[in-house]
């Protein structure tokens, strides 16, 4: 257990194509006319674009954002 897991709130999110995710409070979904992606808003804002041409691209990009969020929380604290 990392000690902060209970402190971070998750919410359900459905993307424009209908994919469903459980998303931490510090991560937002960005969708528009171009490629979609996720934005981590904890410390420095960082974008994680969906992996193009991959059906699981949004999930892979979200996993990268969560990994970075976890590292930042462990370093800085919540």
């Amino acid at each position: 257990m990392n000690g902060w897991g209970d402190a971070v709130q998750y919410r359900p999110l459905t993307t424009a194509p209908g994919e469903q995710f459980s998303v931490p409070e510090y991560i937002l979904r960005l969708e528009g006319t171009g490629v979609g992606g996720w934005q981590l808003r904890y410390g420095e804002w960082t974008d994680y674009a969906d992996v193009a041409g991959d059906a699981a691209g949004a999930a892979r990009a979200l996993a990268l954002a969560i990994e970075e969020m976890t590292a930042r929380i462990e370093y800085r604290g919540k």
Side-chain angles (χ1 to χ4, degrees):
M1 187 75 174
N2 54 28
W4 58 262
D6 294 336
V8 175
Q9 300 295 314
Y10 280 71
R11 67 189 184 289
L13 183 138
T14 303
T15 64
E19 298 170 296
Q20 296 183 353
F21 296 95
S22 180
V23 182
E25 62 185 298
Y26 299 116
I27 298 176
L28 301 176
R29 180 71 183 162
L30 305 174
E31 293 182 322
T33 56
V35 175
W38 304 94
Q39 185 175 70
L40 172 58
R41 292 187 175 185
Y42 187 88
E44 179 181 336
W45 290 11
T46 308
D47 294 332
Y48 296 86
D50 294 350
V51 179
D54 184 351
R60 291 177 65 192
L62 178 59
L64 290 172
I66 291 172
E67 182 179 331
E68 178 63 22
M69 180 195 75
T70 301
R72 291 181 189 186
I73 289 174
E74 288 176 354
Y75 176 73
R76 298 178 184 178
K78 177 161 182 332

